[in-house]
Amino acid sequence: MNIEEKLFEEAMSFIKKRYPEGWGGAAAMFSKKGQIYISVAPEVINAGTELCIETGAILEAHKNDDVITHSICIVRDDENSEFKVLTPCGICQERLLYWGNQVSVGVTTGEGHLTYKTLEELQPYHWTNAYSDIEFGN
């Protein structure tokens, strides 16, 4: 099993434990140190304070001075539904870009198979292309 499949399996297993019934979602990220970080979106009262599912794992990697190389976010509608891969939103793409445009992320294809793309492939015209001297945190 490659790292992409392992991350999907880890996130799926976590969702099944954390959310045995109803909706569930989790992100799993792999790092250069070989760590897998898993996170969920916090449940909040005020929708204006919501955070993306990936945020916790990103913060854990920063806390541990680690470098994210792969990321996936998956959800299911309820315990009887198929799992769906969610391409990272623009904000999470910017957060992951801290570690460079070669970070691989799971993407939504609608074809039912697991696909990863680099951030560079997702955003070939990213604003950082205007600067030749941008240094990433990896």
Side-chain angles (χ1 to χ4, degrees):
M1 178 181 311
N2 63 28
I3 190 59
E4 290 88 354
E5 294 164 336
K6 178 146 180 65
L7 287 178
F8 182 87
E9 292 295 322
E10 291 281 333
M12 185 175 58
S13 293
F14 189 86
I15 290 168
K16 288 177 180 179
K17 282 188 268 181
R18 172 66 173 80
Y19 304 101
E21 296 178 347
W23 179 92
M29 298 186 187
F30 186 74
S31 75
K32 279 192 175 178
K33 292 181 180 179
Q35 178 72 35
I36 293 179
Y37 298 99
I38 296 177
S39 62
V40 299
E43 296 177 24
V44 298
I45 296 170
N46 179 340
T49 63
E50 289 180 350
L51 293 171
C52 296
I53 294 170
E54 299 96 331
T55 306
I58 291 168
L59 293 173
E60 283 291 308
H62 278 289
K63 179 180 85 177
N64 290 302
D65 195 25
D66 207 348
V67 175
I68 296 298
T69 61
H70 295 77
S71 175
I72 191 167
C73 180
I74 65 172
V75 298
R76 64 152 200 237
D77 296 326
D78 60 47
E79 67 275 13
N80 300 310
S81 299
E82 300 274 328
F83 286 90
K84 303 173 195 175
V85 176
L86 301 181
T87 302
C89 73
I91 292 170
C92 285
Q93 288 180 41
E94 291 292 328
R95 291 172 177 155
L96 289 165
L97 187 69
Y98 172 78
W99 292 291
N101 61 10
Q102 295 305 303
V103 173
S104 292
V105 297
V107 296
T108 307
T109 64
E111 298 168 7
H113 57 76
L114 190 56
T115 302
Y116 280 71
K117 299 287 183 185
T118 65
L119 292 175
E120 182 176 39
E121 290 173 299
L122 287 181
Q123 293 191 2
Y125 304 102
H126 193 267
W127 64 268
T128 55
N129 294 339
Y131 302 93
S132 60
D133 59 348
I134 287 194
E135 293 184 29
F136 295 105
N138 56 358

